[in-house]
Structures are given as structure tokens and as C-alpha cells.
């Protein structure tokens, strides 16, 4: 007499896992976020422009979703917005990428402090994803030693040869305090 035990186990395993297959294929919807991209456009940017643009393109492809609000700053001698809009289509994504592809490094300084201050002021109650892309340690000195240094309290640095990215959590003090209180209670 042949045993059907292995077949029964296999069928049960398939039936138990089936709901998870459907779940894994669905990508959970998330609320729109504010994406702030602040790119060093000092003269040192030209030396690492290709690497920076390739990395930023790949990162934005991972992060951006329908409804996200994107603001791109050129951090040159003074900070200026070079793109601002909402992602509704592929053409919007292309417009974001085009805005910083055309940057050229000019001047000896990068006004990260001004751009970061503006980004924090524009921050609403929604979650934000803020990237400071720096072509040199010198270009970060204004933000690290200036009044906006406190905005870097919740940040992480990613180092690359000749440049770095600082991922900043803007205006999340209250959320962090609540999460810490919940964790310890």
C-alpha cells in the first residue's frame, strides 16, 4: 500500500503558503512624501558629477512614488531651487533628473545651510526624505558649523570616493521622542 503522506503534506504546505504569494506580489501603498535633494554645485562638483548623477538617479528610482513632492536645490554660492513639483508620471521623474543633470560647478562654496533651512521651513506634517550631496568636506563646513547644524541631528552619512551624501530626517524630533517613550514604556 502506497502512502499519500508526502502528497498531503505538500498540498497543505501549498495551501498554507498561497495567501502569502498574493500578499508578496502586492506592493503596499504609502502616503506621499516630500523629497528634498540638495546638490553641491561648487566648482568641485565637476570632478565627481558623473558618479553623483548616476547614484542620485538610482536612488530616486528606488524612492520616488506617485504623489511625492520633490524639490531640488542647487547649493552653489547661494542656494536656489532648480525644480519643484509632484510626481504624477514618468515625464515628472524625467524632469527631476534633467534638473540636476544640467548643473555645472561654479564658485568655491556651496550654500547647504540656506537650502537645508528652506527645506526645513517647507516641511509639512508629512514624512520627508532629504539628501545633501556634497562634492567635498569643505563644502559642508557652512552647514556643520552654522545655525542649521541642529537640523543634522537625525542624519546618516554615506561616503564615496571624492564625495558624500548625508540623509537627513528633518523636523522629526517629536516623532523620535514619541517612539523612544513608547519603546521604554
Amino acid at each position: 500500500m502506497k502512502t499519500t503522506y508526502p502528497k498531503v503534506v505538500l498540498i497543505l504546505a501549498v495551501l498554507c503558503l498561497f495567501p502569502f504569494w498574493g500578499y508578496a506580489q502586492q506592493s503596499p501603498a504609502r502616503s506621499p512624501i516630500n523629497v528634498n535633494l540638495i546638490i553641491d554645485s561648487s566648482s568641485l562638483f565637476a570632478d565627481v558629477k558623473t558618479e553623483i548623477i548616476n547614484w542620485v538617479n538610482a536612488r530616486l528610482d528606488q524612492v520616488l512614488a506617485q504623489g511625492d513632492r520633490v524639490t531640488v536645490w542647487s547649493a552653489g554660492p547661494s542656494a536656489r531651487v532648480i525644480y519643484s513639483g509632484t510626481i504624477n508620471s514618468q515625464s515628472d521623474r524625467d524632469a527631476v533628473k534633467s534638473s540636476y543633470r544640467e548643473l555645472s560647478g561654479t564658485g568655491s562654496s556651496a550654500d547647504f545651510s540656506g537650502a537645508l533651512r528652506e527645506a526645513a521651513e517647507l516641511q509639512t506634517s508629512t514624512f520627508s526624505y532629504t539628501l545633501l550631496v556634497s562634492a567635498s568636506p569643505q563644502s559642508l563646513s557652512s552647514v556643520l558649523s552654522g545655525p542649521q547644524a541642529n537640523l543634522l541631528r537625525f542624519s546618516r552619512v554615506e561616503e564615496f570616493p571624492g564625495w558624500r551624501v548625508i540623509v537627513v530626517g528633518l523636523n522629526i524630533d517629536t516623532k523620535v521622542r514619541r517612539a523612544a517613550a513608547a519603546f521604554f514604556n
Side-chain angles (χ1 to χ4, degrees), residues 167-181:
V167 181
V168 182
L170 288 177
N171 301 336
I172 63 169
D173 295 3
T174 305
K175 293 175 186 173
V176 169
R177 278 192 218 110
R178 271 192 241 139

Side-chain angles (χ1 to χ4, degrees), residues 139-185:
S139 62
L140 287 172
S141 62
S142 68
V143 74
L144 294 174
S145 62
Q148 275 68 41
N150 64 329
L151 295 174
L152 298 176
R153 181 174 178 196
F154 303 104
S155 63
R156 177 178 63 113
V157 177
E158 293 184 41
E159 293 280 338
F160 301 92
W163 60 285
R164 66 215 27 81
V165 174
I166 302 176
V167 181
V168 182
L170 288 177
N171 301 336
I172 63 169
D173 295 3
T174 305
K175 293 175 186 173
V176 169
R177 278 192 218 110
R178 271 192 241 139
F183 177 77
F184 287 111
N185 286 334

Side-chain angles (χ1 to χ4, degrees), residues 130-142:
T130 302
L131 295 173
L132 274 72
V133 182
S134 169
S136 73
Q138 300 89 335
S139 62
L140 287 172
S141 62
S142 68

Side-chain angles (χ1 to χ4, degrees), residues 9-22:
V9 170
L10 179 63
I11 291 170
L12 286 175
V14 169
L15 290 176
C16 289
L17 294 175
F18 182 71
F20 297 111
W21 286 332

Side-chain angles (χ1 to χ4, degrees), residues 22 27 53 56 83 85 90:
S27 60
I53 288 178
V56 170
Y83 177 87
Q90 184 59 43

